Amino acid sequence: MAKKNILCIGAGYVGGPTMAVIADKCPDYRVTVVDINQSRIDAWNSDKLPVFEPGLAEVVARCRNRNLFYSTDIPGEIKRADIIFVSVNTPTKTFGYGAGKAADLQFLEKTARSIVEYADSDKIVVEKSTLPVRTAQALSRVLHANTKGIHFQIVSNPEFLAEGTAIADLESPDRVLIGGMETPEGRKAMEEVSAIYENWVPKERIITTNIWSSELTKLVSNALLAQRVSSVNSISALCERTGADIDQVTAAAGRDKRIGARFLKAGLGFGGSCFKKDILNLVYLCEHYGLPEVAAYWEEVVKLNDYQAKRFVENMLGAMFNTVADKRIGVLGFAFKADTGDTRESPAIAVCRQLLEEHAELFIYDPKALENAKQDMIGYQKVHFCEDPYDALKGVHAIVVATDWQCFKDLDYQKIFDDMEKPAFIFDGRNLLDRKKLFEIGFNIYGIGKKPLTKF
């Protein structure tokens, strides 16, 4: 019999990998992932997982049908579970009060109501989704409005995963954060959640706090990381105007131990499911609590991020004789970063849509994100999705590097150049490629925060 039955409601980018690693590291726990989406559950039970992460398939293969299960039987699994992780989507609201900033908690509330409906014994409910501070209070009200005499303990355990390295992040985390109520029952619940991670995480890396601090820490961590990206991208614009080189500037600045080198890579801006959503959530909270100056400060981080993609396209127009109308543009990469198929808030979306507004014709290639790219570009004309990078780049006027996939470095750029319209342009939105070598081949190459290398 399993030591504990762990349930995760939500089989997405967080719940899927997290539960796979817990099952792998805790063979005496029974771990089940449920979702209302049958096709997603079918994919988790197949050889083609719905989430791409390096190393994930191997972990799932070791555990699936041993102590890791995927199901749509939400009522039955809620009854069976001792500990329920809630990992449902909490997008930014698109309607009503707080639209554009506040988190939309409708899926969280519906999940809480399902737990109340089907539970027949006391449970620990763990917030795994990214949530605004004091969500646990609302969650508690829903859970404890039951008439069955069931008691729930709510624990906050935010994820700090970076897509593309999620398995490594889970297997060797910088820290595991667990927040709970400051009551004897709350502390006992935190100990039970901590005991899961203690199977492989050194105890000194497991941090316990009150539940409000845990909820807020997730937002603040993402906001501080996103702030670094926007800060360095603002300097990249200044570098282009002054002749400074952004890589030289950040390499020197990053040697200062107080600053460090992480997240000082200039590019098209941050993307993914967390940074923008979490900053806007922080903005909303600051406005709600009467802190307009603090709200404006953090909102500027998002505005700067949007500006970076807009500025990139403006630079393309300026270089290509102020028009891309009816010109063929090859786009390398659509995921928001390498080693993931996730395109949520990808800078590539903004760049491609702006180019289409300028009447360009796009040919898009990405090793893992083409299916998501097709969904993101529904309704747009003159967009082609290519399974081979050379097909995407054949006969184009310009190349856009939108994602930092390492495989793009290894393409035969002499062959690509020979098949392109002339003058041939590369706009490297990730500063990924060998500028000098490309210039010698014959390209006009433009990077982020760098002086262009041009033939004219």
Side-chain angles (χ1 to χ4, degrees):
M1 183 177 173
K3 182 177 178 180
K4 288 284 181 183
N5 290 311
I6 295 174
L7 173 64
C8 179
I9 301 176
Y13 280 89
V14 174
T18 301
M19 292 303 117
V21 171
I22 287 177
D24 195 32
K25 301 295 185 181
C26 307
D28 51 349
Y29 285 74
R30 184 183 191 276
V31 180
T32 306
V33 182
V34 295
D35 202 288
I36 59 173
N37 186 326
Q38 181 69 59
S39 62
R40 181 179 290 175
I41 292 299
D42 290 344
W44 279 111
N45 280 317
S46 74
D47 292 331
K48 189 174 181 182
L49 303 183
V51 172
F52 172 74
E53 278 291 332
L56 174 61
E58 292 80 0
V59 176
V60 170
R62 283 198 296 271
C63 304
R64 190 169 53 199
N65 297 324
R66 181 195 74 185
N67 69 322
L68 175 62
F69 305 92
Y70 300 95
S71 172
T72 54
D73 180 17
I74 295 174
E77 294 300 339
I78 287 174
K79 283 185 172 66
R80 184 200 296 257
D82 302 300
I83 301 171
I84 301 176
F85 286 79
V86 178
S87 187
V88 297
N89 195 18
T90 54
T92 302
K93 281 187 77 175
T94 57
F95 58 88
Y97 184 73
K101 294 176 184 173
D104 186 344
L105 300 180
Q106 62 172 308
F107 303 114
L108 182 76
E109 182 180 342
K110 288 173 183 174
T111 300
R113 293 186 184 281
S114 293
I115 293 171
V116 169
E117 182 178 357
Y118 300 119
D120 55 13
S121 61
D122 294 354
K123 315 282 184 189
I124 295 172
V125 177
V126 183
E127 299 175 337
K128 200 67 183 171
S129 305
T130 300
L131 301 166
V133 66
R134 301 200 74 84
T135 298
Q137 192 171 47
L139 198 57
S140 178
R141 286 175 183 162
V142 174
L143 292 172
H144 287 115
N146 74 85
T147 57
K148 303 176 183 179
I150 298 173
H151 297 284
F152 297 94
Q153 288 300 320
I154 300 167
V155 172
S156 170
N157 175 221
E159 54 84 16
F160 297 102
L161 307 180
E163 289 186 43
T165 60
I167 298 302
D169 295 340
L170 286 161
E171 292 180 336
S172 183
D174 292 334
R175 80 291 204 197
V176 173
L177 182 58
I178 300 171
M181 298 296 184
E182 294 174 306
T183 62
E185 298 81 7
R187 284 188 284 273
K188 186 173 184 299
M190 284 195 285
E191 288 170 6
E192 288 210 34
V193 176
S194 179
I196 298 170
Y197 292 102
E198 286 170 25
N199 281 276
W200 78 96
V201 180
K203 203 160 185 177
E204 62 270 17
R205 292 194 196 174
I206 300 175
I207 302 168
T208 56
T209 68
N210 73 47
I211 200 161
W212 320 123
S213 295
S214 178
E215 288 180 336
L216 186 56
T217 297
K218 169 63 177 179
L219 296 184
V220 170
S221 295
N222 279 347
L224 290 171
L225 292 173
Q227 179 197 51
R228 285 172 68 89
V229 175
S230 284
S231 294
V232 78
N233 281 340
S234 73
I235 301 303
S236 74
L238 185 60
C239 286
E240 290 167 25
R241 296 289 177 90
T242 61
D245 185 290
I246 190 65
D247 286 343
Q248 294 175 1
V249 171
T250 55
R255 292 291 288 271
D256 187 326
K257 289 192 286 288
R258 299 166 300 173
I259 298 172
R262 300 288 299 275
F263 279 75
L264 286 185
K265 183 71 174 170
L268 289 174
F270 55 76
S273 63
C274 291
F275 280 5
K276 184 175 181 179
K277 174 171 73 80
D278 288 356
I279 294 173
L280 291 173
N281 199 335
L282 194 60
V283 170
Y284 174 75
L285 286 170
C286 292
E287 290 174 344
H288 176 75
Y289 286 106
L291 301 167
E293 292 83 1
V294 181
Y297 174 83
W298 287 108
E299 191 165 18
E300 203 60 38
V301 173
V302 175
K303 289 180 180 177
L304 200 291
N305 195 59
D306 296 339
Y307 163 74
Q308 188 74 348
K310 180 173 179 284
R311 193 173 70 81
F312 182 79
V313 174
E314 289 173 351
N315 286 345
M316 287 185 66
L317 289 169
M320 297 180 70
F321 320 111
N322 292 318
T323 181
V324 291
D326 297 323
K327 291 179 180 176
R328 295 160 59 98
I329 310 291
V331 180
L332 288 177
F334 206 88
F336 82 92
K337 60 186 273 191
D339 296 319
T340 179
D342 195 352
T343 63
R344 288 176 291 180
E345 299 294 342
S346 174
I349 299 172
V351 168
C352 287
R353 288 177 179 174
Q354 288 176 59
L355 288 170
L356 290 168
E357 287 170 8
E358 295 289 338
H359 295 190
E361 185 172 8
L362 304 185
F363 297 80
I364 298 170
Y365 169 76
D366 189 286
K368 295 291 181 182
L370 278 188
E371 290 308 310
N372 285 334
K374 290 174 185 176
Q375 295 301 311
D376 292 323
M377 301 307 291
I378 284 176
Y380 287 88
Q381 306 300 315
K382 299 174 72 173
V383 185
H384 311 273
F385 300 94
C386 305
E387 299 288 341
D388 182 275
Y390 295 103
D391 290 341
L393 304 182
K394 190 179 179 82
V396 299
H397 293 78
I399 299 168
V400 169
V401 180
T403 308
D404 53 341
W405 287 99
Q406 293 301 301
C407 59
F408 295 160
K409 291 181 177 181
D410 301 327
L411 296 175
D412 184 345
Y413 284 96
Q414 183 64 63
K415 168 179 161 51
I416 291 165
F417 176 80
D418 292 343
D419 287 339
M420 282 179 66
E421 295 288 338
K422 308 299 186 298
F425 295 89
I426 292 182
F427 298 92
D428 188 352
R430 300 292 184 168
N431 291 340
L432 179 72
L433 306 179
D434 185 331
R435 290 160 50 82
K436 185 179 178 184
K437 181 179 176 182
L438 293 170
F439 180 69
E440 289 170 354
I441 288 172
F443 287 101
N444 300 286
I445 182 158
Y446 295 75
I448 300 285
K450 293 178 176 289
K451 183 180 178 180
L453 299 179
T454 64
K455 299 291 183 179
F456 46 79

